[in-house]
Amino acid sequence: MNKKIYFLISLVWFQFGIAQEALEELGIINSNSEHCSPTFKAIENTLFFDAGSGLANGVEPWSCNTETGATALFQNINSGFSSSNPYFIASINNKLLFSADDGLHGLELWITDGTLAGTQLVKDINTGTGAGMLAYNCAGSGPVFNDPKNYGVLNNKLFFEGFTNNGEQLWISDGTTAGTILLKQIDTNAIFNGNVNFIQNFTVVGNKLFFTAVTNSALNRELWVTDGTTSGTFLVKDIYVGDSSSNPLNLIAFNNKLLFTANDGTHGIELWSSDGTTGGTTMVSDINLGGSGSNPSGFYAFNNQLFFLANDGIAGNELWVYTTSGSVALVKDTQPGATGILYIHNQTAFNAEMYFMTADQLWKTDGTQPGTSLVKGNLVLNSNSTKMLVYNNKLYFGSNYLLWSSDGTPTGTIAFPELPNTSFTNVQPFTDINGKLIIVPNISNYGTINNRFWTCDSNENITLIDASTTTSYGTVFKFNDALYFEGTNSSYKLFRYGLPLNLGNESHLQNLFKVYPNPTTHLVTIQSEKGFFTETKVIVTNILGQLVLENKNSQTHKISLDLSTQPTGLYWVTIEEEGNKKTLKIVKE
C-alpha cells in the first residue's frame, strides 16, 4: 500500500481526546515521463482516477480505498507503454462510466463496478480504432481541462456526443451494450466527422435535458431538448433564423424552466426562457432596447430569484433580478452612470441575503433596491480567484494578502493578522474539513494547495500546515471529509488530508507478515512472523470496501483464505491485533 504519514499537525490524540488532521502520503502514482494530473470520481468508498506510473504502463485507471488508503493501479487497459487515457464521466446505478482506449477499439465508452471482472468496454461506437467518444488529452503541465456539461445524466442514463462516419450524433447509454444506442442524428454534414465538441451545455430541468448543438454546415449553434426518446429529442427553436447562430449560453434551471442567453439577430444577446416547446421559448425582456443587447451573465439563483449582471445602456453593467412571477428589474445602480461597469464574483447565500464582491467592495442584497447595501469597501480582490465561504455563522474571504471574516455588518467585517510564513497573494478559504476551514494561497478554478495551507477552527485559531517539500498539482478533490490531491516531493504521489486513516496506528504494528501466492487463483496464505494473537482479526474487503471474508481468534502462524468463489480483481487484507492494523494487497486472477 506504501502509505506513510507525511506530516501531522500534532499527535493523533491531544489531551481532550479529539483526533487531529494529518497530511498522509498514500503512494507513488505518476512518473515524470508519463505525467497526467488526476481527475477523480467516486463509487461508494473508492476513488478512481487517472495516473501514469511509468513507461511500463502509461496513463491508466487507478483506485484508492478511502477507508484504508490502499492506492494501486486498478487495471492496465492499454497494455505496455501506450496509455488508455481514462476520463471518468459519471456514476450510474452504482457503476462508473468512463472513456478509455484499449489500443484495439479507439477511445470508447467503458464501465466498472469496482472489480476487474466488472470492468469492460460498453460498446465500440466508432467501429475499429477510430474514436467514438470526445477526447480529453492530458496537459503535461496542468490539470485535464474539461467542461462537466459536455455530458448529461437524466433518469440514470448518460447522454453524450458520439462519433461515427455518419457525423455528429447524440448517444444514450444505461451502461449496457444493448442500452447504448444512437438517440438522434443531429447533422450528417461531413464537417462533423471528427472528435469535435459540437454538443455541449447539458442542463437538466425537471424530466427534460436541454443542450446546445451545432445544426448545419454554417456551424450555427441552437437550443435542443431531449426526454430520452428519439421522438422527444428535437431542436427547440431556431432562435436566430437562417444560417446564423443564436449561441445559447449560461443555461440554468430556474422555476421549472430553462433560463439562458441568446441572440435572435434583432435584440442582441438578451435573457431567454424555455419550457422545452417552440411556443414556450421566448425572450424574457429586451433589457437594452435595440440591437446592442444587455449581455446577461453571472447567473445565481437564490430565494426564488435569479440574479445576474446586465447592461441596459443607461446604468451600465449592473445587478438585475428575475423573479418567479416573470418580472425583470434593476436591483441597484451601484456604480452610477452609463460608464459604471460592475463585475461581481462568487455570489454566496448568507443570512437570507445574497453577498457578492466587486473589484474592491463587498455587497449584500435581498433583491430590492433598499435592501441592497455596501458592507465593506477599500478591499483588494482578484477577479479570477476570489472565493467566499460560509463557516461557523460567518462569511470568509481573502483580500489584500489577508483572510477576512464578516458577520454581515461593516464593523463586523475584519481582517485577520497576516498568516504565518506566507508570501502568497490571494489567500482564500477553500473548503471545510472535520469542522475546520481550510485556507489556501493562489487558489485557481481547479483548486491547488501549494507547499502550505492553514486551518481555522471555530474559535478562529489559525494553524499552519507546512508541507515545504510537497507541491500539489492539479485538482484537489474533497470526499468523505478529506482532501485528495497529487503532490510531488521527488516523485508524483497521491496525498490525503483529513483525520488519519486507522488513527495513524498502522505504523505501530510490530508483527511482520508474508502473503503468498500473490497473485493467486484461489487460496492465499498469510504467515505471521511471531504468530497471531488470540484476538487477531483478519478481514478481506474488495476494492469498494465491502466485506468478503473474515477470520477471528486464530492463534497460529498461518491463516489460509479461500478466494475461489470471488471474482478476479484487487482485494485488501486488514490484520487487526491489539488495537493496531496492517493492510496488505491481494490480486485474484
Side-chain angles (χ1 to χ4, degrees):
M1 180 174 64
N2 193 30
K3 180 179 80 68
K4 62 183 180 181
I5 297 180
Y6 185 74
F7 177 82
L8 284 175
I9 295 178
S10 61
L11 296 176
V12 173
W13 298 92
F14 70 94
Q15 61 181 344
F16 298 110
I18 300 176
Q20 297 296 287
E21 298 78 15
L23 183 63
E24 297 174 280
E25 178 187 304
L26 302 183
I28 298 174
I29 60 172
N30 271 322
S31 70
N32 290 325
S33 57
E34 284 292 316
H35 183 263
C36 191
S37 173
T39 55
F40 299 90
K41 281 287 189 301
I43 302 179
E44 293 188 353
N45 291 317
T46 299
L47 293 184
F48 286 89
F49 59 95
D50 51 301
S53 60
L55 296 179
N57 296 322
V59 179
E60 296 291 344
W62 280 58
S63 66
C64 172
N65 186 311
T66 60
E67 292 187 335
T68 66
T71 301
L73 172 68
F74 175 65
Q75 184 171 352
N76 193 358
I77 292 176
N78 197 337
S79 60
F81 171 77
S82 299
S83 300
S84 68
N85 286 319
Y87 175 72
F88 298 99
I89 301 171
S91 178
I92 293 177
N93 296 322
N94 208 32
K95 295 181 180 180
L96 188 59
L97 287 166
F98 64 100
S99 59
D101 183 355
D102 63 0
L104 299 174
H105 303 91
L107 192 69
E108 297 290 352
L109 185 64
W110 285 65
I111 192 168
T112 183
D113 61 2
T115 68
L116 294 181
T119 303
Q120 59 195 15
L121 173 70
V122 177
K123 192 161 191 171
D124 188 7
I125 294 171
N126 195 351
T127 306
T129 58
M133 297 286 291
L134 191 65
Y136 287 93
N137 296 320
C138 172
S141 60
V144 174
F145 292 94
N146 61 80
D147 181 357
K149 290 192 175 181
N150 286 333
Y151 300 95
V153 176
L154 180 69
N155 297 329
N156 285 320
K157 293 183 179 180
L158 177 71
F159 296 76
F160 60 96
E161 181 176 12
F163 301 95
T164 68
N165 292 329
N166 295 324
E168 179 193 20
Q169 305 157 344
L170 179 67
W171 283 70
I172 185 173
S173 177
D174 61 3
T176 67
T177 302
T180 302
I181 60 173
L182 169 63
L183 184 61
K184 191 81 170 186
Q185 185 81 35
I186 301 297
D187 197 289
T188 59
N189 193 288
I191 194 172
F192 299 133
N193 183 22
N195 198 9
V196 183
N197 184 10
F198 283 118
I199 304 176
Q200 57 185 207
N201 299 315
F202 288 97
T203 304
V204 176
V205 182
N207 60 356
K208 297 178 181 179
L209 182 64
F210 288 86
F211 60 95
T212 66
V214 175
T215 56
N216 55 37
S217 58
L219 303 182
N220 299 329
R221 185 173 294 278
E222 294 292 348
L223 184 67
W224 285 65
V225 71
T226 181
D227 61 2
T229 67
T230 301
S231 61
T233 304
F234 52 87
L235 172 68
V236 178
K237 188 171 187 173
D238 188 3
I239 294 174
Y240 199 139
V241 179
D243 287 338
S244 297
S245 175
S246 70
N247 197 27
L249 291 173
N250 303 304
L251 280 65
I252 185 173
F254 179 75
N255 194 31
N256 296 318
K257 290 185 178 182
L258 181 77
L259 273 294
F260 62 101
T261 59
N263 185 354
D264 64 359
T266 300
H267 303 91
I269 301 175
E270 291 289 357
L271 181 65
W272 284 68
S273 171
S274 178
D275 62 1
T277 67
T278 302
T281 302
T282 59
M283 185 175 66
V284 173
S285 178
D286 187 7
I287 295 174
N288 192 342
L289 298 177
S292 297
S294 64
N295 295 297
S297 63
F299 292 132
Y300 185 78
F302 167 68
N303 197 25
N304 294 322
Q305 300 171 102
L306 183 66
F307 293 92
F308 60 95
L309 286 176
N311 188 340
D312 64 356
I314 299 173
N317 205 52
E318 287 290 349
L319 186 66
W320 288 66
V321 65
Y322 170 77
T323 68
T324 54
S325 65
S327 65
V328 176
L330 173 68
V331 176
K332 187 168 185 172
D333 189 357
T334 64
Q335 313 288 324
T339 59
I341 303 298
L342 175 67
Y343 296 101
I344 65 175
H345 316 285
N346 208 59
Q347 303 94 311
T348 304
F350 176 56
N351 286 346
E353 293 172 299
M354 187 193 78
Y355 284 69
F356 61 93
M357 291 177 172
T358 69
D360 58 359
Q361 297 172 332
L362 175 65
W363 287 75
K364 65 179 179 180
T365 182
D366 62 2
T368 67
Q369 193 277 335
T372 303
S373 61
L374 175 67
V375 178
K376 192 75 173 181
N378 298 318
L379 300 172
V380 178
L381 306 171
N382 185 292
S383 61
N384 295 321
S385 60
T386 297
K387 188 176 181 66
M388 291 193 291
L389 280 179
V390 177
Y391 168 75
N392 195 34
N393 296 318
K394 287 186 179 181
L395 190 67
Y396 288 79
F397 61 95
S399 170
N400 195 22
Y401 310 97
L402 301 176
L403 179 71
W404 290 66
S405 68
S406 176
D407 62 3
T409 67
T411 57
T413 303
I414 56 177
F416 284 70
E418 184 174 345
L419 296 178
N421 299 316
T422 179
S423 59
F424 293 104
T425 60
N426 306 325
V427 174
Q428 304 291 344
F430 179 61
T431 188
D432 62 291
I433 294 293
N434 191 32
K436 294 180 180 178
L437 187 67
I438 304 296
I439 308 156
V440 301
N442 294 344
I443 190 170
S444 70
N445 291 333
Y446 295 91
T448 57
I449 296 176
N450 293 323
N451 299 104
R452 57 180 60 88
F453 56 101
W454 299 261
T455 63
C456 175
D457 64 20
S458 57
N459 294 317
E460 297 193 336
N461 296 313
I462 304 292
T463 302
L464 170 67
I465 310 302
D466 189 356
S468 57
T469 61
T470 301
T471 301
S472 76
Y473 183 94
T475 302
V476 179
F477 188 75
K478 180 180 177 181
F479 183 72
N480 283 354
D481 217 24
L483 299 180
Y484 294 83
F485 60 92
E486 182 188 71
T488 176
N489 55 5
S490 75
S491 61
Y492 295 99
K493 302 170 183 177
L494 183 66
F495 284 85
R496 177 188 182 276
Y497 178 76
L499 291 181
L501 293 165
N502 300 327
L503 296 180
N505 58 7
E506 182 172 317
S507 60
H508 298 157
L509 197 63
Q510 299 300 316
N511 210 344
L512 299 178
F513 303 94
K514 294 181 180 179
V515 178
Y516 61 90
N518 191 15
T520 183
T521 57
H522 56 291
L523 287 178
V524 64
T525 298
I526 303 173
Q527 182 174 331
S528 168
E529 181 187 60
K530 299 179 180 180
F532 292 105
F533 293 97
T534 303
E535 297 300 322
T536 296
K537 181 170 69 173
V538 178
I539 61 174
V540 180
T541 56
N542 60 21
I543 200 168
L544 296 179
Q546 299 165 332
L547 180 65
V548 172
L549 295 172
E550 185 173 4
N551 187 301
K552 294 182 179 179
N553 301 323
S554 300
Q555 196 168 9
T556 177
H557 282 268
K558 294 182 180 180
I559 295 176
S560 293
L561 303 172
D562 187 0
L563 297 177
S564 60
T565 60
Q566 303 301 322
T568 59
L570 295 176
Y571 293 87
W572 309 106
V573 177
T574 301
I575 304 165
E576 300 181 13
E577 57 180 31
E578 294 191 332
N580 298 308
K581 294 182 180 181
K582 179 71 174 180
T583 301
L584 307 167
K585 181 178 74 173
I586 295 176
V587 177
K588 165 70 186 302
E589 293 182 335

